[in-house]
Amino acid sequence: MPCLDRFRKFIGAASLIARFCACDMFDETYTMFNPLFMVLLGFLAIYTVCFVYTIYDGFVTNQDWTIILQCLTIGAMALQAISKYACYYIHRTTLRKVVKYLDEIYGEYQDRGARYEYALKKSLQKIMKCSKITGIIYFTSLAGLIVSPFIYMLITGKRELTLIALIPGIDPKETVGYFIHTGFHSAIISFAGVGFFASEIVMFSIFLHVLLHRDILMEKFHDLNEATAKPDVPAARTRDLLNDIIAWHQKYNLFVKYIEELFSGVIFVHVTTSCASICSTLFCIVLKVWPFAPVLLLLNTSMYAYCGFGQLLATTNDDVTRMIYEVCIWYRLEVKEQKMILLMLRKSQYAVELTVGKIMPLNFNTALQLSKGIYTYLMVLINFLE
């Protein structure tokens, strides 16, 4: 199958998954005021009422302060879902523009030769691989959350709820009430899981193409080097290849800016709420008040994947800078062309990088610092109890 058809098929699959959650931003006719989204808002309102009632019943009626920690974990993930929808909806025009731009790249470069076609295939393979790994992690965790109450009940004989959301007027301690709550929670988990997976697919389908831009730039430099190695190649041909490289580098910088515009808000909310959620989940595990907290901890660790995305972009920017100086045999060019390479090299040293709310860079070092902060916060809470 041609690379362009494979890319369109992947975008179509991502669009289908997003449509299930009433958030198909790829569709140019999409509007917030559609029947499915109205139903979604209705369920969100019901869940909000149950959520508030749970806090009142646990903290006010039963004097159980740990219910705040459990609700903070779930509330943080709900805030992530809302922020992702809001960011994608606000920037839906940019999202469609980027997808159209990528579609044009696949259409143009799949016929430019074996090396460019290989770069396109490698990009698609990475996207598919990341999507499959994400799908396995998400749906394995969600399946664990759904079946864990029944396994726990068979082993211990105790009835525990997966989520913290009590339905007013229905007692979860009774058999019928317990199964009603379990079914309600299972529906929430299933729908939320598909929604989170859809948002990650959107990010994968866009973000990982920075590697494709880098690889295509590499091939363009190879074409330029081959041209400058042949004495019979006209100077105009060399100049055209160099202009094409400069134009492609500008496209790369513009693409990175689009990524920052699309995902900066999502990254800030996701990383900050994940820190709070991980702290609360770990504390619930230490206090042994929530048997299913370890499964939720697995879902919360996506914060480190986001930091990995930031590190990937920073590494790619470094690769592009190194490529301009090391791969390009610039000393074969004329002095005027060498100056053009120098300007491109300077521009590459100030490439856009992802940050967490303009406060700290998004990379592995930030992930390490956040882990230290979570550990410190957890120790403070434990010492406070003692």
Side-chain angles (χ1 to χ4, degrees):
M1 181 184 297
C3 294
L4 177 60
D5 293 341
R6 291 177 60 188
F7 174 73
R8 289 177 176 176
K9 184 178 180 180
F10 178 83
I11 293 298
S15 177
L16 181 62
I17 297 173
R19 195 176 302 126
F20 174 79
C21 305
C23 56
D24 183 13
M25 304 303 173
F26 296 116
D27 185 3
E28 295 185 358
T29 62
Y30 176 81
T31 175
M32 184 184 295
F33 303 100
N34 63 79
L36 184 57
F37 186 75
M38 293 298 104
V39 173
L40 175 62
L41 284 181
F43 282 114
L44 181 61
I46 294 173
Y47 181 76
T48 302
V49 171
C50 296
F51 193 75
V52 173
Y53 173 75
T54 302
I55 297 176
Y56 176 82
D57 180 73
F59 186 71
V60 178
T61 306
N62 297 321
Q63 301 295 316
D64 182 14
W65 65 272
T66 61
I67 197 69
I68 302 297
L69 294 174
Q70 300 173 50
C71 289
L72 180 61
T73 300
I74 303 300
M77 300 181 70
L79 185 60
Q80 290 176 12
I82 295 173
S83 67
K84 289 178 179 180
Y85 177 86
C87 287
Y88 290 149
Y89 186 78
I90 293 172
H91 300 294
R92 62 190 184 281
T93 303
T94 303
L95 178 64
R96 295 164 190 162
K97 185 189 301 183
V98 171
V99 172
K100 184 178 180 181
Y101 163 70
L102 293 174
D103 188 90
E104 293 173 353
I105 290 177
Y106 279 94
E108 178 182 355
Y109 285 91
Q110 69 178 357
D111 299 324
R112 277 214 181 182
R115 291 188 305 181
Y116 290 99
E117 185 179 8
Y118 174 75
L120 297 177
K121 289 181 178 179
K122 185 169 67 171
S123 174
L124 289 170
Q125 287 174 356
K126 289 178 180 178
I127 294 173
M128 292 298 298
K129 184 177 180 180
C130 288
S131 300
K132 289 178 181 179
I133 293 175
T134 303
I136 291 172
I137 292 174
Y138 265 107
F139 291 110
T140 300
S141 302
L142 295 175
L145 279 173
I146 292 174
V147 302
S148 291
F150 302 103
I151 296 176
Y152 186 81
M153 183 173 60
L154 291 174
I155 295 176
T156 64
K158 299 179 181 179
R159 295 173 180 171
E160 294 285 350
L161 297 177
T162 307
L163 299 182
I164 307 302
L166 300 179
I167 303 175
I170 300 179
D171 188 0
K173 296 180 180 179
E174 297 179 354
T175 303
V176 176
Y178 173 76
F179 283 106
I180 290 176
H181 277 83
T182 301
F184 177 58
H185 294 170
S186 297
I188 293 174
I189 291 170
S190 300
F191 190 84
V194 175
F196 273 105
F197 179 64
S199 68
E200 307 302 352
I201 289 297
V202 171
M203 179 172 284
F204 290 153
S205 62
I206 303 298
F207 194 97
L208 291 178
H209 279 97
V210 296
L211 299 177
L212 175 62
H213 281 72
R214 180 201 62 187
D215 294 340
I216 290 180
L217 182 62
M218 173 74 78
E219 301 306 329
K220 288 180 180 291
F221 274 126
H222 286 318
D223 290 343
L224 178 63
N225 293 339
E226 291 175 359
T228 55
K230 299 176 182 179
D232 56 339
V233 175
R237 171 61 177 166
T238 303
R239 180 64 59 85
D240 290 341
L241 290 173
L242 181 58
N243 289 337
D244 186 41
I245 289 174
I246 294 174
W248 184 257
H249 185 248
Q250 292 174 344
K251 288 182 179 180
Y252 170 79
N253 291 325
L254 182 61
F255 182 72
V256 173
K257 289 182 180 179
Y258 280 145
I259 288 178
E260 183 186 32
E261 179 183 347
L262 284 170
F263 304 123
S264 58
V266 172
I267 289 170
F268 174 72
V269 174
H270 190 93
V271 172
T272 53
T273 54
S274 291
C275 286
S277 186
I278 290 173
C279 288
S280 301
T281 306
L282 288 173
F283 202 44
C284 289
I285 293 174
V286 171
L287 295 177
K288 300 179 180 179
V289 296
W290 201 0
F292 310 123
V295 185
L296 286 170
L297 182 62
L298 178 62
L299 294 176
N300 293 333
T301 52
S302 58
M303 177 190 73
Y304 301 103
Y306 275 64
C307 291
F309 279 131
Q311 183 67 51
L312 177 64
L313 179 59
T315 302
T316 304
N317 288 336
D318 292 340
D319 291 342
V320 169
T321 302
R322 192 181 308 110
M323 191 187 306
I324 295 172
Y325 185 76
E326 296 179 356
V327 176
C328 177
I329 307 179
W330 51 267
Y331 49 82
R332 291 178 182 170
L333 302 173
E334 297 178 359
V335 175
K336 186 177 180 179
E337 294 173 340
Q338 291 179 13
K339 291 181 179 179
M340 296 171 66
I341 292 291
L342 180 60
L343 290 175
M344 186 167 60
L345 180 62
R346 289 178 178 175
K347 177 65 177 178
S348 69
Q349 294 173 341
Y350 299 96
V352 175
E353 293 186 356
L354 296 178
T355 61
V356 182
K358 305 294 184 181
I359 300 173
M360 60 182 73
L362 188 73
N363 50 37
F364 286 142
N365 184 56
T366 298
L368 179 60
Q369 296 301 321
L370 292 175
S371 298
K372 290 181 179 178
I374 291 171
Y375 175 78
T376 302
Y377 178 75
L378 182 62
M379 291 301 101
V380 168
L381 290 178
I382 293 175
N383 291 332
F384 173 76
L385 289 179
E386 295 177 350

